[in-house]
Amino acid sequence: MTRDAHLNELGEFLKARRAELSPRTVGLPDVGAPRRVPGLRREEVAQLATISTDYYTRLEQGRIQASAPVLTALARVLHLDDDQHDYLFGLAGKIPTRPQRRTRQKVQPQLRRLLDDLTATPAIVMGRRMDILAWNALAVALVADFGRIPENQRNYIRLVFTDPAMRTLYSDWETVARTCVAQLRMEAAKYPADPRLTALVGELSVQDAHFRQWWAAHNVATLSVGTKKLHHPVAGDLTLDWDTLTASTDPDQQLVVWTAEVGTPTHDGLRILASWAADHPTAASDKAPRTVE
């Protein structure tokens, strides 16, 4: 879509949302006089947004580009929901500025079912800030006993940097750690006002010089696919492919699985580890859903 087309669509979007509101809805007196068209008048929207009627009219006509503060004011006046707010900013080519809500994350049921069915595949559900929301028994056997970690500290990148066992587990710990930092940097771009993410960055910056250095480099990466080499005390040397499945109902939740090609030493190692895990049951298998802010 061209710039002009975006501006025209933005104007039509504003008209449509304006038509859905009444003076009473936005706190204006309704004098009862009949209106030629439903909804608010342009001058009423302009008044509530503290901009001139001429400026707002040109916005609806697709003749000018709106600034972020004006878009924020219009989103408030027109009572836009989160999706509509982001759509408005997207049409204007601006980054959404609405404050991020600190809602509690609950494991999505479909991810919970998948996790429980993966008895021969290590898997975790990762949420915002790389928080670990859920896991299966084989993930405990492979990586760590997540259930013994306090819930407010159950975070993958914190584990990578603060648990000495992780530096032994990952054959190339530095590459893993750098990738985690780049992924967290991407999270920070999505949620710049998240106080828990800010606190996590501050905590790791104080504790680890490598984290400070790599965070300052501003490298970014998405949580998608990759390969990790591990040296496991039970299963031996493993080369695992990892992949992610995003929940459609909550894009901030991803099922992360570690797999190996059938017939490889790593696949055999996972089978050995699964057998070992079955012989060493632990309360950390996480059969109940967890919630993390």
Side-chain angles (χ1 to χ4, degrees):
M1 188 181 290
T2 65
R3 178 178 180 275
D4 288 344
H6 274 104
L7 291 179
N8 290 334
E9 175 62 22
L10 186 146
E12 293 301 318
F13 182 69
L14 291 174
K15 289 179 190 177
R17 301 289 77 76
R18 174 167 64 88
E20 294 174 344
L21 299 176
S22 67
R24 189 184 303 275
T25 303
V26 296
L28 292 175
D30 190 350
V31 296
R35 293 178 175 239
R36 291 188 297 109
V37 294
L40 297 177
R41 298 186 176 99
R42 285 175 173 170
E43 55 267 28
E44 291 170 333
V45 175
Q47 174 190 344
L48 292 168
T50 322
I51 58 177
S52 71
T53 301
D54 178 66
Y55 183 91
Y56 179 75
T57 299
R58 286 186 288 161
L59 278 178
E60 279 201 358
Q61 293 173 343
R63 294 164 52 195
I64 59 172
Q65 181 70 271
S67 66
V70 168
L71 293 172
T72 299
L74 290 174
R76 172 181 53 80
V77 170
L78 297 173
H79 294 196
L80 301 188
D81 62 26
D82 288 349
D83 289 340
Q84 292 170 335
H85 178 285
D86 291 351
Y87 181 69
L88 177 68
F89 272 71
L91 289 174
K94 301 289 193 301
I95 298 175
T97 58
R98 60 184 169 90
Q100 301 298 330
R101 298 175 179 175
R102 296 183 61 196
T103 55
R104 295 182 68 86
Q105 281 189 292
K106 185 177 181 179
V107 180
Q108 295 296 300
Q110 66 273 30
L111 293 186
R112 176 75 267 169
R113 290 191 294 270
L114 275 173
L115 195 64
D116 289 340
D117 287 342
L118 295 173
T119 57
T121 302
I124 62 174
V125 176
M126 196 175 295
R128 292 190 296 268
R129 314 171 212 95
M130 306 177 75
D131 287 338
I132 300 168
L133 306 182
W135 55 91
N136 64 9
L138 198 49
V140 171
L142 178 69
V143 182
D145 190 347
F146 302 111
R148 295 184 180 276
I149 303 172
E151 189 173 338
N152 63 355
Q153 298 177 23
R154 201 177 291 146
N155 177 278
Y156 194 77
I157 190 169
R158 177 187 278 115
L159 191 64
V160 167
F161 276 92
T162 63
D163 186 347
M166 298 294 279
R167 299 179 187 244
T168 303
L169 176 66
Y170 287 117
S171 301
D172 189 357
W173 176 87
E174 181 173 329
T175 296
V176 172
R178 281 178 176 269
T179 301
C180 285
V181 173
Q183 290 165 347
L184 189 67
R185 174 63 78 173
M186 185 71 80
E187 283 285 296
K190 289 168 56 181
Y191 301 109
D194 183 350
R196 287 196 59 189
L197 193 150
T198 301
L200 175 63
V201 171
E203 172 193 338
L204 295 179
S205 295
V206 169
Q207 293 186 17
D208 195 281
H210 284 114
F211 181 89
R212 288 196 302 274
Q213 176 187 348
W214 298 335
W215 183 259
H218 288 264
N219 293 320
V220 295
T222 57
L223 184 65
S224 54
V225 296
T227 301
K228 285 186 171 70
K229 293 183 180 295
L230 289 76
H231 182 71
H232 195 274
V234 173
D237 291 332
L238 305 172
T239 301
L240 291 166
D241 298 319
W242 60 273
D243 205 342
T244 57
L245 175 67
T246 301
S248 59
T249 50
D250 183 358
D252 286 331
Q253 291 192 36
Q254 293 180 306
L255 179 72
V256 183
V257 295
W258 290 274
T259 62
E261 188 176 349
V262 176
T264 62
T266 294
H267 184 263
D268 295 338
L270 282 181
R271 294 177 62 185
I272 293 171
L273 190 61
S275 177
W276 179 88
D279 292 338
H280 297 77
T282 170
S285 58
D286 184 47
K287 290 300 181 185
R290 311 283 176 137
T291 57
V292 179
E293 282 191 355

